[in-house]
Coordinates of all heavy atoms in Angstrom, one line a residue:
M966 N 11.3 5.7 9.6 CA 9.9 5.4 9.2 C 9.4 4.4 10.1 O 10.0 3.3 10.4 CB 9.9 4.7 7.8 CG 10.4 5.6 6.7 SD 8.9 6.7 6.2 CE 9.8 8.2 6.0
C967 N 8.2 4.6 10.6 CA 7.6 3.6 11.5 C 6.1 3.4 11.3 O 5.4 4.4 11.3 CB 7.9 4.0 13.0 SG 7.4 2.7 14.1
G968 N 5.7 2.2 10.9 CA 4.3 1.9 10.8 C 3.9 1.1 12.1 O 4.7 1.0 13.0
H969 N 2.6 0.8 12.1 CA 2.1 0.0 13.2 C 1.1 -1.0 12.8 O 0.3 -0.7 11.9 CB 1.6 0.9 14.4 CG 0.4 1.7 14.0 ND1 -0.8 1.3 14.5 CD2 0.2 2.8 13.1 CE1 -1.7 2.2 13.9 NE2 -1.1 3.1 13.1
Y970 N 1.1 -2.1 13.5 CA 0.1 -3.2 13.2 C -1.3 -2.6 13.7 O -1.3 -1.7 14.5 CB 0.4 -4.5 13.9 CG 1.6 -5.1 13.3 CD1 2.7 -5.5 14.1 CD2 1.7 -5.4 12.0 CE1 3.9 -6.0 13.6 CE2 2.8 -6.0 11.5 CZ 3.9 -6.3 12.3 OH 5.0 -6.9 11.7
E971 N -2.4 -3.2 13.2 CA -3.7 -2.8 13.5 C -4.0 -1.3 13.1 O -4.8 -0.6 13.7 CB -4.0 -2.9 15.0 CG -3.7 -4.3 15.6 CD -4.7 -5.3 15.0 OE1 -5.8 -5.1 14.7 OE2 -4.2 -6.5 14.9
C972 N -3.3 -0.9 12.0 CA -3.5 0.6 11.6 C -4.8 0.7 10.9 O -5.2 0.0 9.9 CB -2.4 0.9 10.6 SG -2.5 2.5 10.0
G973 N -5.6 1.6 11.5 CA -6.9 1.9 10.9 C -6.9 2.4 9.5 O -7.7 2.1 8.6
G974 N -5.8 3.2 9.1 CA -5.7 3.7 7.7 C -5.4 2.6 6.8 O -6.1 2.5 5.7
V975 N -4.5 1.6 7.1 CA -4.2 0.5 6.3 C -5.5 -0.4 6.2 O -5.8 -0.9 5.1 CB -3.0 -0.3 6.8 CG1 -2.9 -1.6 6.0 CG2 -1.8 0.5 6.7
K976 N -6.2 -0.6 7.3 CA -7.4 -1.4 7.3 C -8.4 -0.8 6.3 O -9.1 -1.6 5.6 CB -7.9 -1.5 8.8 CG -9.2 -2.3 8.9 CD -8.8 -3.7 9.3 CE -10.0 -4.7 9.3 NZ -9.4 -6.0 9.3
A977 N -8.5 0.5 6.4 CA -9.5 1.2 5.5 C -9.1 1.0 4.0 O -10.0 0.8 3.2 CB -9.6 2.6 5.9
A978 N -7.8 1.0 3.8 CA -7.4 0.9 2.4 C -7.7 -0.5 1.9 O -7.7 -0.8 0.6 CB -5.9 1.1 2.3
M979 N -7.8 -1.5 2.7 CA -8.1 -2.9 2.3 C -9.6 -3.0 1.9 O -10.0 -4.0 1.2 CB -7.8 -3.9 3.4 CG -6.2 -4.0 3.7 SD -5.9 -5.1 5.0 CE -6.0 -6.7 4.3
G980 N -10.4 -2.1 2.3 CA -11.8 -2.2 2.1 C -12.3 -1.2 1.0 O -11.4 -0.6 0.4
N981 N -13.5 -1.1 0.8 CA -14.0 -0.2 -0.3 C -15.0 0.9 0.2 O -15.6 1.6 -0.5 CB -14.8 -1.0 -1.3 CG -13.8 -1.8 -2.2 OD1 -12.8 -1.2 -2.7 ND2 -14.0 -3.0 -2.5
Q982 N -15.0 1.1 1.6 CA -15.8 2.2 2.1 C -15.2 3.5 1.9 O -14.0 3.6 2.0 CB -16.0 1.9 3.6 CG -17.2 0.9 3.8 CD -17.4 0.8 5.3 OE1 -16.5 0.6 6.1 NE2 -18.6 0.7 5.7
H983 N -16.1 4.5 1.7 CA -15.6 5.9 1.6 C -15.6 6.4 3.0 O -16.6 6.3 3.8 CB -16.4 6.7 0.7 CG -16.2 6.4 -0.7 ND1 -15.1 6.8 -1.4 CD2 -16.9 5.6 -1.6 CE1 -15.2 6.4 -2.7 NE2 -16.2 5.6 -2.8
I984 N -14.5 7.0 3.5 CA -14.5 7.5 4.8 C -14.1 9.0 4.8 O -13.5 9.5 5.8 CB -13.5 6.7 5.7 CG1 -12.3 6.3 4.9 CG2 -14.2 5.5 6.3 CD1 -11.4 5.4 5.7
G985 N -14.5 9.7 3.8 CA -14.4 11.2 3.8 C -13.0 11.7 3.7 O -12.3 11.4 2.8
L986 N -12.7 12.6 4.6 CA -11.4 13.4 4.5 C -10.2 12.6 4.2 O -9.3 13.0 3.5 CB -11.3 14.3 5.7 CG -12.1 15.6 5.7 CD1 -11.9 16.3 7.0 CD2 -11.7 16.5 4.6
I987 N -10.0 11.4 4.9 CA -8.8 10.7 4.7 C -8.8 9.8 3.5 O -7.8 9.2 3.2 CB -8.4 9.9 6.0 CG1 -9.5 8.8 6.3 CG2 -8.1 10.8 7.2 CD1 -8.9 7.8 7.4
D988 N -9.8 9.9 2.7 CA -9.8 9.2 1.4 C -8.6 9.4 0.6 O -8.0 8.6 -0.1 CB -11.0 9.5 0.5 CG -12.3 8.6 1.0 OD1 -12.1 7.7 1.8 OD2 -13.4 8.8 0.5
N989 N -8.1 10.7 0.6 CA -6.9 11.1 -0.3 C -5.7 10.3 0.2 O -4.9 9.9 -0.6 CB -6.7 12.6 -0.1 CG -7.3 13.3 -1.3 OD1 -7.6 12.7 -2.3 ND2 -7.5 14.6 -1.2
W990 N -5.5 10.2 1.5 CA -4.4 9.5 2.1 C -4.5 8.0 1.8 O -3.5 7.3 1.5 CB -4.3 9.8 3.6 CG -3.2 9.0 4.3 CD1 -1.9 9.1 4.0 CD2 -3.3 8.1 5.3 NE1 -1.2 8.2 4.8 CE2 -2.1 7.6 5.7 CE3 -4.5 7.6 6.0 CZ2 -1.9 6.7 6.6 CZ3 -4.3 6.7 7.0 CH2 -3.0 6.2 7.3
I991 N -5.7 7.5 1.9 CA -6.0 6.1 1.7 C -5.7 5.7 0.2 O -5.2 4.6 0.0 CB -7.5 5.8 1.9 CG1 -7.9 6.1 3.4 CG2 -7.8 4.3 1.6 CD1 -7.2 5.3 4.4
R992 N -5.8 6.7 -0.6 CA -5.4 6.5 -2.1 C -4.0 6.0 -2.2 O -3.7 5.1 -3.0 CB -5.7 7.7 -2.9 CG -6.2 7.5 -4.3 CD -7.0 8.7 -4.8 NE -6.4 10.0 -4.3 CZ -5.4 10.6 -4.9 NH1 -4.8 10.0 -6.0 NH2 -4.9 11.8 -4.4
H993 N -3.1 6.6 -1.5 CA -1.7 6.2 -1.6 C -1.5 4.8 -1.1 O -0.7 4.1 -1.7 CB -0.8 7.2 -0.8 CG -0.8 8.6 -1.3 ND1 -0.1 8.9 -2.5 CD2 -1.4 9.7 -0.9 CE1 -0.3 10.2 -2.7 NE2 -1.1 10.7 -1.8
L994 N -2.2 4.5 -0.1 CA -2.1 3.1 0.4 C -2.7 2.1 -0.6 O -2.1 1.0 -0.8 CB -2.9 3.0 1.8 CG -2.2 3.6 3.0 CD1 -3.2 3.8 4.1 CD2 -1.1 2.7 3.5
K995 N -3.7 2.5 -1.3 CA -4.3 1.6 -2.3 C -3.3 1.4 -3.5 O -3.2 0.4 -4.1 CB -5.6 2.2 -2.8 CG -6.8 2.0 -1.8 CD -8.1 2.4 -2.5 CE -9.3 2.2 -1.5 NZ -9.6 0.8 -1.3
D996 N -2.5 2.5 -3.7 CA -1.4 2.3 -4.7 C -0.4 1.3 -4.3 O 0.1 0.5 -5.1 CB -0.7 3.7 -5.0 CG -1.5 4.6 -5.8 OD1 -2.5 4.2 -6.5 OD2 -1.2 5.8 -5.8
V997 N -0.1 1.4 -3.0 CA 0.8 0.3 -2.5 C 0.2 -1.1 -2.6 O 1.0 -2.0 -3.0 CB 1.2 0.6 -1.0 CG1 2.0 -0.5 -0.3 CG2 1.9 1.9 -0.8
Y998 N -1.0 -1.2 -2.3 CA -1.7 -2.5 -2.5 C -1.7 -3.0 -4.0 O -1.4 -4.1 -4.2 CB -3.2 -2.4 -2.0 CG -3.7 -3.8 -1.7 CD1 -3.9 -4.2 -0.4 CD2 -4.1 -4.6 -2.7 CE1 -4.4 -5.4 -0.1 CE2 -4.6 -5.9 -2.4 CZ -4.8 -6.3 -1.1 OH -5.3 -7.6 -0.8
R999 N -1.9 -2.0 -4.9 CA -1.9 -2.4 -6.3 C -0.5 -2.9 -6.7 O -0.4 -3.8 -7.4 CB -2.3 -1.1 -7.1 CG -2.6 -1.4 -8.6 CD -3.3 -0.3 -9.2 NE -2.8 1.1 -8.8 CZ -1.8 1.7 -9.3 NH1 -1.0 1.0 -10.2 NH2 -1.4 2.9 -8.9
L1000 N 0.6 -2.2 -6.2 CA 1.9 -2.6 -6.6 C 2.2 -4.0 -6.0 O 3.0 -4.8 -6.6 CB 2.9 -1.6 -5.9 CG 3.3 -0.4 -6.8 CD1 4.1 0.5 -5.8 CD2 4.1 -0.8 -7.9
H1001 N 1.6 -4.4 -4.9 CA 2.0 -5.6 -4.2 C 0.8 -6.6 -4.1 O 0.8 -7.5 -3.2 CB 2.6 -5.3 -2.8 CG 3.8 -4.5 -2.9 ND1 5.0 -5.1 -3.0 CD2 4.0 -3.2 -2.9 CE1 6.0 -4.2 -3.0 NE2 5.4 -2.9 -2.9
H1002 N -0.2 -6.5 -5.0 CA -1.4 -7.2 -4.8 C -1.2 -8.8 -5.0 O -1.9 -9.6 -4.3 CB -2.5 -6.8 -5.7 CG -2.3 -7.0 -7.2 ND1 -2.8 -8.2 -7.8 CD2 -1.6 -6.4 -8.1 CE1 -2.4 -8.2 -9.0 NE2 -1.7 -7.2 -9.3
E1003 N -0.2 -9.1 -5.8 CA 0.0 -10.5 -6.0 C 0.5 -11.2 -4.7 O 0.0 -12.3 -4.3 CB 1.1 -10.8 -7.1 CG 0.4 -10.7 -8.5 CD 1.4 -10.9 -9.6 OE1 2.5 -11.5 -9.4 OE2 1.0 -10.5 -10.7
E1004 N 1.4 -10.6 -4.0 CA 1.9 -11.1 -2.7 C 0.8 -11.1 -1.7 O 0.6 -12.1 -1.0 CB 3.1 -10.4 -2.2 CG 3.6 -10.9 -0.9 CD 4.7 -10.1 -0.2 OE1 5.4 -9.3 -0.9 OE2 4.9 -10.2 1.0
L1005 N 0.1 -10.0 -1.7 CA -1.0 -9.8 -0.6 C -2.1 -10.7 -0.8 O -2.6 -11.4 0.1 CB -1.4 -8.3 -0.5 CG -0.2 -7.4 0.1 CD1 -0.6 -6.0 -0.2 CD2 -0.1 -7.6 1.5
D1006 N -2.6 -10.8 -2.1 CA -3.8 -11.6 -2.4 C -3.5 -13.1 -2.1 O -4.4 -13.8 -1.9 CB -4.3 -11.3 -3.8 CG -4.9 -9.9 -3.9 OD1 -5.1 -9.3 -2.9 OD2 -5.1 -9.5 -5.1
A1007 N -2.2 -13.5 -2.2 CA -1.9 -14.9 -2.0 C -2.0 -15.3 -0.5 O -1.9 -16.5 -0.2 CB -0.5 -15.2 -2.6
I1008 N -2.0 -14.3 0.4 CA -2.1 -14.6 1.8 C -3.5 -14.8 2.2 O -4.3 -13.8 2.2 CB -1.4 -13.4 2.6 CG1 0.0 -13.2 2.2 CG2 -1.5 -13.8 4.2 CD1 0.7 -12.0 2.8
E1009 N -3.9 -16.0 2.5 CA -5.3 -16.3 2.8 C -5.9 -15.7 4.1 O -6.9 -15.2 4.1 CB -5.6 -17.8 2.7 CG -5.8 -18.3 1.3 CD -5.9 -19.8 1.2 OE1 -6.7 -20.3 2.1 OE2 -5.4 -20.4 0.3
D1010 N -5.0 -15.8 5.1 CA -5.4 -15.3 6.4 C -5.4 -13.8 6.4 O -4.5 -13.1 6.2 CB -4.4 -15.8 7.5 CG -4.8 -15.5 8.9 OD1 -5.6 -16.2 9.5 OD2 -4.4 -14.3 9.4
E1011 N -6.7 -13.3 6.7 CA -6.9 -11.8 6.6 C -5.9 -11.1 7.5 O -5.5 -10.0 7.2 CB -8.4 -11.5 6.9 CG -8.7 -10.1 6.4 CD -10.1 -9.7 6.6 OE1 -11.0 -10.5 6.6 OE2 -10.3 -8.4 6.9
D1012 N -5.8 -11.6 8.8 CA -5.0 -10.9 9.8 C -3.5 -10.9 9.3 O -2.8 -9.9 9.5 CB -5.1 -11.6 11.1 CG -4.6 -10.7 12.3 OD1 -5.0 -9.5 12.3 OD2 -3.7 -11.1 13.0
K1013 N -3.0 -12.0 8.8 CA -1.6 -12.0 8.3 C -1.5 -11.1 7.1 O -0.4 -10.4 6.9 CB -1.3 -13.5 7.9 CG -0.9 -14.3 9.1 CD -0.4 -15.7 8.6 CE -0.3 -16.6 9.9 NZ -0.5 -18.0 9.6
R1014 N -2.5 -11.1 6.2 CA -2.5 -10.1 5.0 C -2.4 -8.7 5.5 O -1.7 -7.9 4.9 CB -3.7 -10.4 4.1 CG -3.6 -9.7 2.8 CD -4.6 -10.2 1.8 NE -6.0 -9.9 2.2 CZ -6.9 -10.9 2.5 NH1 -6.6 -12.1 2.4 NH2 -8.1 -10.5 2.9
F1015 N -3.2 -8.4 6.5 CA -3.2 -7.0 7.1 C -1.8 -6.6 7.7 O -1.3 -5.6 7.4 CB -4.3 -7.0 8.2 CG -4.6 -5.7 8.9 CD1 -4.2 -4.5 8.3 CD2 -5.2 -5.7 10.1 CE1 -4.4 -3.3 9.0 CE2 -5.5 -4.5 10.7 CZ -5.1 -3.3 10.2
K1016 N -1.2 -7.6 8.4 CA 0.1 -7.4 9.0 C 1.1 -7.1 7.8 O 2.0 -6.2 7.9 CB 0.5 -8.6 9.8 CG -0.1 -8.6 11.2 CD 0.6 -9.6 12.0 CE 0.3 -9.4 13.6 NZ -0.8 -10.2 14.0
R1017 N 1.1 -7.9 6.8 CA 2.1 -7.8 5.7 C 1.9 -6.5 5.0 O 2.8 -5.9 4.5 CB 1.9 -9.0 4.8 CG 3.0 -9.1 3.7 CD 4.4 -9.2 4.3 NE 5.4 -9.1 3.3 CZ 6.6 -8.5 3.4 NH1 7.0 -8.1 4.6 NH2 7.4 -8.5 2.4
F1018 N 0.6 -6.1 4.8 CA 0.4 -4.8 4.2 C 1.0 -3.7 4.9 O 1.6 -2.7 4.3 CB -1.2 -4.7 4.0 CG -1.6 -3.5 3.1 CD1 -0.7 -2.7 2.4 CD2 -3.0 -3.2 3.0 CE1 -1.1 -1.7 1.6 CE2 -3.4 -2.1 2.3 CZ -2.5 -1.4 1.5
V1019 N 0.9 -3.7 6.3 CA 1.5 -2.7 7.1 C 3.0 -2.6 6.8 O 3.6 -1.6 6.7 CB 1.2 -2.9 8.6 CG1 2.1 -2.1 9.5 CG2 -0.3 -2.7 8.9
E1020 N 3.6 -3.8 6.8 CA 5.1 -3.9 6.6 C 5.5 -3.4 5.2 O 6.5 -2.6 5.1 CB 5.6 -5.4 6.7 CG 5.4 -5.9 8.2 CD 5.5 -7.4 8.3 OE1 5.7 -8.1 7.3 OE2 5.3 -7.9 9.4
I1021 N 4.8 -3.8 4.2 CA 5.1 -3.4 2.8 C 4.9 -1.9 2.7 O 5.7 -1.3 2.0 CB 4.1 -4.2 1.8 CG1 4.6 -5.6 1.6 CG2 4.1 -3.4 0.4 CD1 3.7 -6.5 0.8
N1022 N 3.9 -1.3 3.4 CA 3.8 0.1 3.3 C 5.0 0.8 3.9 O 5.4 1.9 3.3 CB 2.5 0.5 4.0 CG 2.2 2.0 4.0 OD1 2.3 2.6 2.9 ND2 2.0 2.6 5.1
V1023 N 5.6 0.3 4.9 CA 6.8 0.9 5.5 C 7.9 0.8 4.4 O 8.6 1.8 4.2 CB 7.2 0.3 6.8 CG1 8.6 0.7 7.2 CG2 6.1 0.6 7.9
I1024 N 8.0 -0.3 3.8 CA 9.1 -0.5 2.8 C 8.9 0.5 1.7 O 9.9 1.1 1.3 CB 9.1 -2.0 2.2 CG1 9.5 -2.9 3.3 CG2 9.9 -2.1 1.0 CD1 9.2 -4.4 3.0
E1025 N 7.7 0.7 1.2 CA 7.4 1.7 0.2 C 7.7 3.1 0.6 O 8.3 3.9 -0.2 CB 6.0 1.6 -0.3 CG 5.7 0.3 -1.2 CD 6.5 0.3 -2.5 OE1 6.9 1.4 -3.0 OE2 6.9 -0.8 -2.9
Q1026 N 7.5 3.4 1.8 CA 7.8 4.7 2.4 C 9.2 5.0 2.5 O 9.8 6.1 2.3 CB 7.1 5.0 3.7 CG 5.6 5.1 3.6 CD 4.9 5.5 4.8 OE1 5.4 6.5 5.5 NE2 3.9 4.7 5.3
V1027 N 10.0 3.9 2.8 CA 11.5 4.1 2.9 C 12.0 4.4 1.4 O 12.9 5.2 1.2 CB 12.1 2.7 3.4 CG1 13.7 2.7 3.2 CG2 11.8 2.6 4.9
W1028 N 11.4 3.6 0.5 CA 11.9 3.9 -0.9 C 11.6 5.3 -1.3 O 12.4 6.0 -1.9 CB 11.1 3.0 -1.9 CG 11.7 1.6 -2.0 CD1 11.0 0.4 -1.7 CD2 13.0 1.2 -2.5 NE1 11.8 -0.6 -2.0 CE2 13.1 -0.2 -2.5 CE3 14.0 1.8 -3.0 CZ2 14.2 -1.0 -2.9 CZ3 15.2 1.2 -3.5 CH2 15.2 -0.2 -3.4
D1029 N 10.3 5.8 -1.0 CA 10.0 7.1 -1.3 C 10.9 8.2 -0.8 O 11.3 9.1 -1.4 CB 8.5 7.4 -0.8 CG 7.5 6.9 -1.8 OD1 7.9 6.5 -3.0 OD2 6.3 6.8 -1.5
L1030 N 11.3 7.9 0.6 CA 12.2 8.9 1.2 C 13.6 8.8 0.6 O 14.2 9.9 0.4 CB 12.2 8.5 2.8 CG 13.1 9.5 3.6 CD1 12.5 10.9 3.5 CD2 13.1 9.0 5.0
A1031 N 14.0 7.6 0.2 CA 15.4 7.4 -0.3 C 15.5 8.1 -1.7 O 16.5 8.5 -2.1 CB 15.6 5.9 -0.5
K1032 N 14.3 8.2 -2.4 CA 14.4 8.9 -3.7 C 14.4 10.4 -3.6 O 14.5 11.0 -4.7 CB 13.2 8.4 -4.5 CG 13.3 6.9 -5.1 CD 12.1 6.5 -5.9 CE 11.0 6.0 -5.1 NZ 9.9 5.4 -5.8
T1033 N 14.1 11.0 -2.5 CA 14.1 12.4 -2.4 C 15.5 13.0 -2.7 O 16.5 12.4 -2.4 CB 13.5 13.0 -1.1 OG1 14.5 12.5 0.0 CG2 12.1 12.4 -0.7
S1034 N 15.4 14.2 -3.2 CA 16.7 14.9 -3.6 C 17.6 15.2 -2.3 O 18.8 15.1 -2.3 CB 16.5 16.2 -4.3 OG 15.6 17.0 -3.5
I1035 N 16.9 15.4 -1.2 CA 17.7 15.6 0.1 C 18.5 14.4 0.4 O 19.7 14.5 0.8 CB 16.7 16.0 1.2 CG1 16.0 17.3 0.9 CG2 17.4 16.0 2.6 CD1 14.8 17.6 1.8
V1036 N 17.8 13.2 0.4 CA 18.6 12.0 0.8 C 19.6 11.6 -0.3 O 20.7 11.2 0.0 CB 17.6 10.8 1.0 CG1 18.3 9.5 1.1 CG2 16.7 11.1 2.2
Q1037 N 19.2 11.7 -1.6 CA 20.1 11.4 -2.7 C 21.4 12.3 -2.6 O 22.5 11.8 -2.8 CB 19.4 11.6 -4.0 CG 18.4 10.6 -4.4 CD 18.9 9.2 -4.6 OE1 19.9 9.0 -5.3 NE2 18.4 8.2 -3.9
N1038 N 21.2 13.6 -2.3 CA 22.4 14.5 -2.2 C 23.2 14.1 -1.0 O 24.5 14.1 -1.1 CB 21.9 16.0 -2.1 CG 21.5 16.5 -3.4 OD1 22.0 16.1 -4.5 ND2 20.6 17.5 -3.4
A1039 N 22.6 13.7 0.1 CA 23.4 13.3 1.2 C 24.3 12.1 0.9 O 25.5 12.1 1.3 CB 22.5 13.0 2.4
W1040 N 23.6 11.1 0.3 CA 24.4 9.9 -0.1 C 25.5 10.2 -1.1 O 26.6 9.6 -1.1 CB 23.5 8.8 -0.6 CG 22.7 8.2 0.5 CD1 23.1 8.1 1.8 CD2 21.5 7.5 0.5 NE1 22.1 7.5 2.6 CE2 21.2 7.0 1.8 CE3 20.6 7.2 -0.6 CZ2 20.0 6.3 2.1 CZ3 19.4 6.4 -0.3 CH2 19.2 6.0 1.0
K1041 N 25.2 11.1 -2.1 CA 26.2 11.5 -3.1 C 27.4 12.2 -2.4 O 28.5 12.0 -2.9 CB 25.5 12.5 -4.1 CG 26.2 12.5 -5.5 CD 25.3 13.1 -6.5 CE 25.2 14.6 -6.4 NZ 24.3 15.2 -7.4
N1042 N 27.1 12.9 -1.4 CA 28.2 13.6 -0.6 C 28.8 12.7 0.4 O 29.5 13.2 1.3 CB 27.6 14.9 0.0 CG 27.2 15.9 -1.1 OD1 27.8 15.9 -2.1 ND2 26.2 16.7 -0.8
K1043 N 28.5 11.4 0.4 CA 29.1 10.4 1.2 C 28.7 10.7 2.7 O 29.5 10.4 3.6 CB 30.6 10.3 1.1 CG 31.1 10.1 -0.3 CD 31.3 8.6 -0.6 CE 31.9 8.3 -2.0 NZ 30.8 7.9 -2.9
Q1044 N 27.6 11.3 3.0 CA 27.2 11.5 4.3 C 26.6 10.2 4.9 O 26.1 9.4 4.2 CB 26.1 12.6 4.4 CG 26.6 14.0 4.1 CD 25.5 15.0 4.2 OE1 24.6 14.9 5.0 NE2 25.6 16.0 3.4
D1045 N 26.9 10.1 6.2 CA 26.5 8.8 6.9 C 25.0 8.8 7.3 O 24.7 8.9 8.4 CB 27.5 8.6 8.1 CG 27.4 7.2 8.6 OD1 27.0 6.3 7.9 OD2 27.6 7.0 9.9
L1046 N 24.2 8.7 6.3 CA 22.8 8.7 6.5 C 22.2 7.4 6.3 O 22.4 6.7 5.3 CB 22.1 9.8 5.5 CG 20.6 9.8 5.6 CD1 20.1 10.5 6.8 CD2 20.1 10.6 4.4
W1047 N 21.4 6.9 7.3 CA 20.6 5.7 7.2 C 19.1 5.9 7.3 O 18.7 6.8 8.0 CB 21.1 4.7 8.3 CG 22.5 4.3 8.2 CD1 23.6 5.0 8.4 CD2 23.0 3.0 7.8 NE1 24.8 4.3 8.2 CE2 24.4 3.0 7.8 CE3 22.3 1.8 7.4 CZ2 25.2 1.9 7.5 CZ3 23.1 0.7 7.1 CH2 24.5 0.8 7.1
I1048 N 18.4 5.0 6.6 CA 17.0 5.1 6.7 C 16.5 3.7 7.3 O 16.9 2.7 6.7 CB 16.2 5.3 5.4 CG1 16.7 6.6 4.8 CG2 14.7 5.3 5.6 CD1 16.1 6.9 3.4
H1049 N 15.8 3.7 8.4 CA 15.4 2.5 9.0 C 13.8 2.4 8.9 O 13.1 3.3 9.1 CB 15.8 2.5 10.5 CG 17.2 2.6 10.8 ND1 18.0 1.4 10.9 CD2 18.0 3.6 10.8 CE1 19.3 1.8 11.1 NE2 19.3 3.1 11.0
G1050 N 13.4 1.2 8.5 CA 12.0 1.0 8.4 C 11.6 0.1 9.6 O 12.2 -1.0 9.8
W1051 N 10.5 0.5 10.4 CA 10.1 -0.2 11.6 C 8.6 -0.4 11.5 O 7.9 0.4 10.9 CB 10.4 0.6 12.8 CG 11.9 0.8 13.1 CD1 12.7 1.7 12.6 CD2 12.7 0.1 14.0 NE1 14.0 1.6 13.1 CE2 14.0 0.6 14.0 CE3 12.4 -1.0 14.9 CZ2 15.0 0.1 14.8 CZ3 13.4 -1.6 15.7 CH2 14.7 -1.0 15.6
V1052 N 8.2 -1.4 12.2 CA 6.8 -1.6 12.4 C 6.6 -1.8 14.0 O 7.3 -2.7 14.6 CB 6.1 -2.8 11.7 CG1 4.7 -2.9 12.1 CG2 6.2 -2.5 10.2
Y1053 N 5.8 -1.0 14.6 CA 5.6 -1.1 16.0 C 4.3 -1.9 16.3 O 3.3 -1.7 15.7 CB 5.4 0.3 16.6 CG 5.1 0.3 18.1 CD1 6.1 -0.2 19.0 CD2 3.9 0.8 18.6 CE1 5.8 -0.1 20.4 CE2 3.7 0.8 20.0 CZ 4.6 0.4 20.8 OH 4.3 0.4 22.2
A1054 N 4.4 -2.9 17.2 CA 3.3 -3.7 17.6 C 2.8 -3.2 18.9 O 3.4 -3.5 20.0 CB 3.7 -5.2 17.7
A1055 N 1.8 -2.4 18.9 CA 1.3 -1.8 20.2 C 0.8 -2.8 21.1 O 0.8 -2.6 22.4 CB 0.2 -0.8 19.9
C1056 N 0.3 -4.0 20.7 CA -0.2 -5.0 21.5 C 0.8 -5.6 22.5 O 0.4 -5.9 23.6 CB -0.8 -6.2 20.7 SG 0.5 -6.9 19.5
D1057 N 2.1 -5.6 22.1 CA 3.1 -6.2 23.0 C 4.3 -5.3 23.1 O 5.3 -5.7 23.8 CB 3.5 -7.6 22.6 CG 4.1 -7.7 21.2 OD1 4.4 -6.6 20.6 OD2 4.4 -8.8 20.8
G1058 N 4.3 -4.1 22.5 CA 5.5 -3.2 22.6 C 6.7 -3.5 21.8 O 7.7 -2.8 21.9
H1059 N 6.6 -4.6 21.0 CA 7.8 -4.9 20.1 C 7.8 -4.1 18.9 O 6.7 -3.7 18.4 CB 7.8 -6.4 19.9 CG 8.3 -7.2 21.1 ND1 7.3 -7.9 21.8 CD2 9.5 -7.4 21.6 CE1 8.0 -8.5 22.9 NE2 9.3 -8.2 22.7
Ligands
ZN1457 ZN1 -2.2 4.0 11.6

């Protein structure tokens, strides 16, 4: 799983504008915001809040993937499967 800072989708989910076709996808991001609004709303700096939202979204996607039957069965069968959550910073390549 890899997210990235400065993500336009995450940025859009932080606002209230309708942006047409990707509204459906934005809805999932808004659910992530709703789950974590206490932590996110406590971050006063908008840029820091934006960065943290990107990170939390990756964490939630890792959970979602871990809950799938494919991954659950692999772990049940003691397969050596790992899920890694990453955030890529395009600005400096880290
Ligand atoms: Zn993006």
Side-chain angles (χ1 to χ4, degrees):
M966 291 282 141
C967 189
H969 66 104
Y970 293 123
E971 305 298 324
C972 179
V975 171
K976 184 91 187 165
M979 290 175 81
N981 283 313
Q982 274 182 318
H983 288 282
I984 37 182
L986 279 176
I987 60 168
D988 275 353
N989 264 341
W990 175 59
I991 299 299
R992 214 157 37 84
H993 295 285
L994 285 160
K995 285 187 179 289
D996 285 340
V997 172
Y998 200 102
R999 189 163 43 77
L1000 272 170
H1001 296 274
H1002 71 94
E1003 278 179 22
E1004 178 186 344
L1005 290 166
D1006 291 345
I1008 304 171
E1009 278 179 38
D1010 184 90
E1011 196 182 329
D1012 196 51
K1013 283 185 184 147
R1014 190 166 64 241
F1015 184 16
K1016 283 194 164 92
R1017 187 60 186 147
F1018 189 7
V1019 168
E1020 293 164 0
I1021 286 174
N1022 183 45
V1023 171
I1024 292 167
E1025 286 297 330
Q1026 289 187 50
V1027 167
W1028 279 117
D1029 279 346
L1030 184 59
K1032 284 183 277 187
T1033 62
S1034 55
I1035 295 167
V1036 172
Q1037 288 293 312
N1038 283 332
W1040 283 337
K1041 202 163 76 186
N1042 296 328
K1043 306 263 184 264
Q1044 287 179 35
D1045 193 24
L1046 175 73
W1047 293 73
I1048 302 172
H1049 299 267
W1051 294 84
V1052 174
Y1053 178 65
C1056 57
D1057 60 8
H1059 286 101

